[in-house]
Amino acid sequence: MAIESQGTLVFWSTTTSMSTAQTVSEVISVGGPNISAGKIDVTHLASTAKENIIGLRDSGDVTLDMIYNSTDAGQLALRNDLATRSKRRLAIKLVDATTTLWHVEGFCTNWSVSGSVDNTLKLSATIGLTGPITWTTN
């Protein structure tokens, strides 16, 4: 079954409480998380082929593309947190039958505005995730 992306909400907060979390407005698209794990080479001289074990999981990054809004508290918090190197909690609320919520800590590692002829100003922000992602449903 397909899950519609329209209605997905993004929060950037200093708290784990969704009731006080700051919404990031005018999000056009969300990319990620791009979760991966490294492999650790454990090949030895008696091995007959390469041997590996899995390394620690890396939650990766999340990229947010937005219509730039110079007064949006969420967009401003991303910019300010990049400048102050502040860690916050990212939460993404999906619109599905169980209301899935992803939340994880992270740092804003990129905040970039762009524009073009006959278009709106766009903002792209990258959140470098740290630690495990928690997946919950309501």
Side-chain angles (χ1 to χ4, degrees), residues 48-70:
T48 59
K50 290 289 271 182
E51 297 180 51
N52 297 288
I53 59 174
I54 193 163
L56 289 173
R57 179 181 62 222
D58 181 349
S59 295
D61 298 313
V62 167
T63 301
L64 305 174
D65 292 317
M66 298 157 271
I67 297 172
Y68 176 67
N69 180 339
S70 62

Side-chain angles (χ1 to χ4, degrees), residues 99-132:
T99 313
T100 302
L101 180 69
W102 307 340
H103 49 99
V104 62
E105 290 186 319
F107 297 90
C108 183
T109 60
N110 181 62
W111 194 91
S112 174
V113 177
S114 63
S116 62
V117 172
D118 203 22
N119 206 338
T120 63
L121 282 176
K122 299 285 182 6
L123 169 63
S124 180
T126 303
I127 312 296
L129 307 180
T130 180

Side-chain angles (χ1 to χ4, degrees), residues 1-76:
M1 178 177 93
I3 299 172
E4 186 176 10
S5 60
Q6 194 67 34
T8 297
L9 297 174
V10 177
F11 302 92
W12 185 241
S13 180
T14 58
T15 177
T16 58
S17 169
M18 292 307 295
S19 63
T20 59
Q22 177 63 56
T23 304
V24 179
S25 298
E26 304 198 40
V27 176
I28 299 167
S29 68
V30 177
N34 50 348
I35 304 166
S36 64
K39 62 180 186 176
I40 301 168
D41 186 344
V42 294
T43 308
H44 49 85
L45 292 176
S47 298
T48 59
K50 290 289 271 182
E51 297 180 51
N52 297 288
I53 59 174
I54 193 163
L56 289 173
R57 179 181 62 222
D58 181 349
S59 295
D61 298 313
V62 167
T63 301
L64 305 174
D65 292 317
M66 298 157 271
I67 297 172
Y68 176 67
N69 180 339
S70 62
T71 61
D72 178 65
Q75 292 184 14
L76 291 171

